């Protein structure tokens, strides 16, 4: 039995690595699509949100939330 486990372990680790890699690629694809959809809607790339004195309030990532399925979270941010 220990020999079988030792033989299967590299295959299991390889499968986990491949699954993790596929998940990361999918997340990058979703982020790219969110950028493109934002640009189509607003005719510009997302930028940081600043107050009237030039102090940064929120990151550009907040503006992508609605395009990544995070509309509920986006609605909780005060953009002013």
């Amino acid at each position: 039995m220990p020999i079988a486990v030792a033989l299967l372990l590299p295959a299991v680790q390889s499968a986990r690595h491949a699954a993790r890699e596929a998940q990361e690629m999918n997340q990058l694809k979703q982020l790219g699509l969110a950028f493109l959809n934002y640009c189509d809607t607003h005719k510009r790339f997302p930028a940081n949100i600043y107050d009237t004195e030039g102090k940064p309030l929120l990151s550009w990532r907040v503006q992508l939330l609605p395009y990544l399925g995070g509309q509920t979270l986006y609605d909780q941010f005060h953009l002013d």
Side-chain angles (χ1 to χ4, degrees), residues 25-74:
M25 291 299 281
N26 185 46
Q27 290 171 339
L28 285 172
K29 178 183 171 186
Q30 294 301 317
L31 187 59
L33 289 173
F35 265 103
L36 291 173
N37 289 332
Y38 183 92
C39 288
D40 281 346
T41 303
H42 301 280
K43 307 300 184 216
R44 62 179 177 83
F45 282 110
N48 290 340
I49 299 170
Y50 296 91
D51 67 6
T52 56
E53 298 171 2
K55 177 184 170 192
L57 297 176
L58 297 170
S59 169
W60 56 268
R61 294 178 293 253
V62 172
Q63 295 182 1
L64 288 183
L65 285 172
Y67 301 93
L68 293 167
Q71 183 66 46
T72 305
L73 179 59
Y74 179 78

Side-chain angles (χ1 to χ4, degrees), residues 3-16:
I3 295 172
V5 171
L7 291 173
L8 286 175
L9 187 60
V12 171
Q13 288 175 337
S14 178
R16 285 182 180 164

